[in-house]
Each structure stands twice: as structure tokens, then as C-alpha cells.
């Protein structure tokens, strides 16, 4: 299924996304990414929730976890911008 | 010289039309209908107003059972009560919609050329309230669904008849059409993926309804909700299910979507309010 592929590419993508810069940088980037997705009408449901979780993790001193969560949102936003691009020419296939 | 200028002008005017996809809303409707006809040749066109219950005998039986004690009856009663109750200024809903509302449901949704927006029944219910100094209802359920149910009930039997005529109206139609066919959310699914290409199949335990006929019976009493809800409430639910952030009820996105879905369902009978699992 396409969805599995998407998940897999999300997970793979994580390891290549910046780990340096600390949790706050990652969370700021996630927030910016969420805004970009919303601006093209393609925000995913759990972006806000995931950012909140990242913030909680950061507060608890779990920097690695916070960065990981924030990076998920950044990856999701990239996918959603692709969806927005494709949406411009969306139409029936019959 | 004048001739040259005018032919250049003509070219510039004509150009966008050459590049844009050429199908008109009427042609889209035709193609949409034939798709469903081919997919389920045994289902009669007029039965598409019944959603999943049109698809097979089992579901049809469930529907007849539900309709024996229609769960939306309380909402019609509540709607009637609200309809008749005067506002503080002595006016009432009838001051906005008129006394004879047999044709009211069928007027919506429509494109307002001056405001360049899509006007929905729910939008006008709340406009009537605010125009008369009353507080507007919440958008997705409760009183708004009750008044909408009453108007739908009084307007049963008329047909969906929505035709974008002006360029502005067609732009709204196109916006709704794109929304319907665009993949979104974490599951990367379009409305069409479930309600066109996979209708009549099951996702988890639920049979997927055909998009043809989607807007005929709203507002709806949904067993899962245990109450009534508007079409835009349902849109929000379907967007959440594919893990997309839902838009607000009566947002431009959902108004355009409603407009597009109505055009696709032209010619079907309005049979709201409805009941679904």
C-alpha cells in the first residue's frame, strides 16, 4: 500500500534530518513547517499534536525524543507541499 | 493597425481557454453519472439518493428498518418549533425565507455573483438570525441541523438543480472539483479514492457510499453520532479519518466542495433529512 511506503519514507527521512542544533531549533522548524502546510491548505491532522508532544519532551529534558518528533512534522510538511503541488491539476481519472 | 491590435487582443483572451481543460460542469456531471452507471448497472439513477442503502438488498433492508421509526423526526419537531418561535424583534425565520418553503431547500447551494461566494442553506439560516439581532447557531449540529432538517423535510421531492453559469461561479465549481480529487492528509487519499474509485467496497466494516447522491439527504441523523449533523460536519469527519486537518464548517473549501457535489448530483431527488449508520 502507498501509505506504508509513505511511512517508510518518513522513517528513513528522519535519520537524515538535522539532529544538531538542539530541541528548540527543531521545534521552531516544525512550527514553521506546519504553517507552510496550512498556507497551502494541506495541513495534516496530527502536526499540531506532534509539536505539542515534542515540546513536552523538550521540557522533560528528553532532547533526542523532542528532535525526533519535531522532525516528523518537518517531513510531513514536505509531503503535504508535494500534495499541494499535485492538487493543482487534480481531476477525475475516467 | 486597429485590426492587428484587436486580433492580438483576441489571441490574449483566447489563450487561457486553449490551455485549460475543456470539460464543462455539465459534461463532468454526465461523465460522473456514466462512471457509476457502468460500475453498478443494476442500481437505478434515482436510487443514488440513498447512499450505501442503494447498493444491495441487505443494506436496503437496513434502511427500511431505520425509516420505520425515523430517528430524525425529533429534529424536524425541534426545527418546526424554532421556525415558529418569534425572534426578539417579532420577526421569524419566515420573514427571511417566506411562508411557502417547499422550494427553499432546492435553492441551495448557489453562487452569489455580487458577493462572489457560495451561499448555503445553513449560511442563510444563521444570516437570518444575525440580520435580526439574534445570536447565530453553532455550525455543525444542534439547532442549525434542526432548522435545516425542517426546511429539508418541507422541500422533499424537488430535485438537485445547481448550474454554475458565470465565470466566477465556475471558478468556485473548479475549486470544489480540485478539492474532491486531490489527495490529502497522512493517508494521502482523495474523496474520490473512497467515494468514486472504491465505492461499494468495504473499508474496515463500512461499505463506502457512491459520491453520486452525497448531498441529497442532509442534514443526517447518524447512529454513530447519536444525533444530527450537517454536510460540513461529515466533510470534517472524512478529512480527519484520512489524517488531514479538517477545515471549518462553512469555510470556502467546504462551501466549494458542497457546490461541486451538488452539481455532480443534479437531477436526483432531495430527500432530507436522512438517516445513516
Amino acid at each position: 500500500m502507498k501509505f506504508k511506503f509513505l511511512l517508510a519514507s518518513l522513517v528513513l527521512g528522519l535519520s537524515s534530518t538535522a539532529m544538531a542544533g538542539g530541541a528548540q531549533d527543531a521545534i521552531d522548524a516544525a512550527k514553521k513547517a506546519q504553517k507552510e502546510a496550512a498556507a497551502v491548505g494541506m495541513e495534516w491532522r496530527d502536526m499540531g499534536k506532534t509539536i505539542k508532544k515534542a515540546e513536552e519532551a523538550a521540557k522533560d529534558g528528553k532532547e533526542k525524543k523532542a528532535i525526533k518528533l519535531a522532525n516528523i512534522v518537518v517531513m510531513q510538511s514536505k509531503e503535504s507541499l508535494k500534495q499541494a503541488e499535485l492538487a493543482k491539476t487534480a481531476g477525475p481519472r475516467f | 493597425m486597429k485590426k492587428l491590435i484587436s486580433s492580438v487582443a483576441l489571441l490574449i483572451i483566447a489563450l487561457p481557454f486553449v490551455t485549460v481543460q475543456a470539460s464543462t460542469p455539465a459534461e463532468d456531471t454526465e461523465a460522473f453519472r456514466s462512471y457509476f452507471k457502468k460500475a453498478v448497472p443494476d442500481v437505478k439513477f434515482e436510487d443514488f439518493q440513498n447512499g450505501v442503502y442503494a447498493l444491495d438488498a441487505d443494506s436496503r433492508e437496513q434502511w427500511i428498518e431505520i425509516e420505520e421509526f425515523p430517528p430524525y423526526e425529533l429534529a424536524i419537531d425541534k426545527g418546526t418549533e424554532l421556525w415558529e418561535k418569534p425572534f426578539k424583534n417579532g420577526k421569524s425565520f419566515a420573514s427571511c425565507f417566506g411562508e411557502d418553503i417547499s422550494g427553499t431547500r432546492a435553492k441551495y447551494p448557489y453562487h452569489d455573483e455580487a458577493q462572489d461566494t457560495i451561499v448555503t442553506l445553513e449560511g442563510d439560516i444563521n444570516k437570518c438570525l444575525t440580520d435580526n439581532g439574534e445570536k447565530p447557531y453553532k455550525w455543525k449540529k444542534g439547532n442549525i441541523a434542526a432548522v435545516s432538517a425542517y426546511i429539508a423535510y418541507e422541500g422533499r421531492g424537488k430535485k438537485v438543480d445547481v448550474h454554475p453559469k458565470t465565470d466566477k461561479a465556475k471558478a468556485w465549481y473548479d475549486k470544489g472539483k480540485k478539492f474532491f480529487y486531490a489527495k490529502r492528509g497522512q493517508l494521502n487519499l482523495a474523496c474520490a479514492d473512497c467515494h468514486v474509485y472504491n465505492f461499494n467496497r468495504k473499508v474496515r466494516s463500512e461499505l463506502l457510499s457512491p459520491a453520486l447522491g452525497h448531498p441529497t439527504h442532509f442534514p443526517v441523523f447518524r447512529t454513530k453520532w447519536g444525533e444530527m449533523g450537517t454536510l460540513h460536519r461529515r466533510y470534517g469527519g472524512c478529512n480527519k479519518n484520512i489524517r488531514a486537518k479538517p477545515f471549518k464548517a462553512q469555510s470556502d473549501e467546504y462551501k466549494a466542495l458542497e457546490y461541486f457535489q451538488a452539481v455532480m448530483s443534479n437531477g436526483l431527488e432531495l430527500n432530507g433529512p436522512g438517516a445513516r449508520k
Side-chain angles (χ1 to χ4, degrees):
Chain A
M1 230 344 257
K2 260 194 198 135
F3 173 47
K4 288 237 175 78
F5 174 74
L6 200 70
L7 268 187
S9 59
L10 276 178
V11 173
L12 283 178
L14 284 182
S15 46
S16 63
T17 316
M19 289 288 264
Q24 196 49 52
D25 282 0
I27 289 167
D28 289 346
K31 284 184 177 164
K32 187 164 157 266
Q34 180 192 22
K35 281 211 186 92
E36 281 167 2
V40 293
M42 278 293 176
E43 185 175 344
W44 290 7
R45 188 189 67 191
D46 298 339
M47 285 178 172
K49 211 191 281 175
T50 310
I51 291 174
K52 269 214 188 94
K53 277 194 199 151
E55 283 173 330
E56 275 160 24
K59 232 179 19 203
D60 292 348
K62 295 177 187 151
E63 178 138 350
K64 250 189 168 165
K65 187 178 171 196
I67 292 172
K68 207 168 156 183
L69 286 164
N71 284 348
I72 288 176
V73 176
V74 173
M75 286 306 297
Q76 289 189 337
S77 173
K78 281 187 187 145
E79 291 302 322
S80 76
L81 295 185
K82 280 187 216 158
Q83 287 175 327
E85 217 33 62
L86 289 172
K88 288 179 187 164
T89 53
R93 304 195 299 265
F94 51 82
Chain B
M1 187 62 188
K2 215 170 157 193
K3 219 173 171 184
L4 183 72
I5 290 176
S6 62
S7 61
V8 167
L10 212 84
L11 252 178
I12 293 171
I13 293 170
L15 221 54
F17 294 104
V18 180
T19 48
V20 163
Q21 280 178 352
S23 67
T24 64
E27 285 164 355
D28 288 351
T29 305
E30 201 45 49
F32 200 73
R33 267 201 212 180
S34 344
Y35 171 87
F36 285 99
K37 191 170 176 192
K38 230 190 252 162
V40 283
D42 293 342
V43 178
K44 281 187 264 159
F45 172 68
E46 57 267 30
D47 285 345
F48 278 96
Q49 61 178 5
N50 290 327
V52 288
Y53 307 119
L55 295 175
D56 60 58
D58 267 8
S59 314
R60 176 122 197 117
E61 223 147 83
Q62 286 177 15
W63 180 72
I64 290 169
E65 236 166 70
I66 295 172
E67 285 285 320
E68 235 171 88
F69 301 100
Y72 48 74
E73 242 167 24
L74 282 174
I76 299 177
D77 291 349
K78 177 79 186 166
T80 314
E81 191 189 308
L82 292 166
W83 181 269
E84 283 164 0
K85 196 174 143 200
F87 303 145
K88 281 186 235 82
N89 65 5
K91 296 199 174 163
S92 71
F93 281 114
S95 333
C96 305
F97 291 96
E99 293 292 341
D100 175 11
I101 53 165
S102 59
T104 302
R105 173 63 265 189
K107 265 174 46 189
Y108 300 94
Y110 70 88
H111 177 255
D112 179 322
E113 189 71 14
Q115 308 280 333
D116 192 17
T117 191
I118 299 299
V119 183
T120 62
L121 174 58
E122 283 78 17
D124 264 3
I125 290 171
N126 265 348
K127 183 172 183 299
C128 183
L129 288 170
T130 50
D131 281 355
N132 284 291
E134 299 282 316
K135 252 178 54 186
Y137 297 147
K138 292 222 171 84
W139 283 120
K140 291 192 285 196
K141 56 184 179 179
N143 284 350
I144 202 147
V147 175
S148 171
Y150 171 66
I151 294 172
Y153 188 69
E154 293 293 313
R156 275 188 176 183
K158 294 276 193 310
K159 290 189 170 153
V160 183
D161 187 21
V162 179
H163 302 275
K165 292 198 183 85
T166 66
D167 286 347
K168 283 182 189 166
K170 282 179 194 147
W172 277 92
Y173 167 85
D174 276 332
K175 183 179 164 80
K177 179 177 168 184
K178 290 225 167 79
F179 194 100
F180 185 83
Y181 288 107
K183 291 176 185 294
R184 60 185 63 242
Q186 198 172 347
L187 300 197
N188 198 36
L189 289 170
C191 312
D193 285 323
C194 285
H195 294 294
V196 177
Y197 304 119
N198 287 297
F199 89 98
N200 205 14
R201 295 206 188 122
K202 280 199 169 159
V203 55
R204 296 201 200 108
S205 67
E206 278 191 288
L207 194 61
L208 288 165
S209 56
L212 179 60
H214 260 173
T216 62
H217 59 284
F218 276 83
V220 80
F221 183 97
R222 203 171 166 222
T223 313
K224 195 180 144 197
W225 292 336
E227 60 180 7
M228 303 288 296
T230 61
L231 182 59
H232 291 201
R233 180 179 183 187
R234 182 77 243 202
Y235 286 167
C238 278
N239 272 164
K240 271 190 238 162
N241 284 343
I242 54 159
R243 301 192 204 164
K245 187 172 180 210
F247 292 88
K248 292 210 166 79
Q250 303 299 322
S251 59
D252 283 354
E253 284 81 4
Y254 285 173
K255 285 198 292 191
L257 184 58
E258 176 176 349
Y259 193 57
F260 168 75
Q261 287 220 285
V263 174
M264 290 302 102
S265 293
N266 266 332
L268 284 170
E269 198 177 289
L270 289 158
N271 59 342
R276 296 288 187 268
K277 264 192 294 184

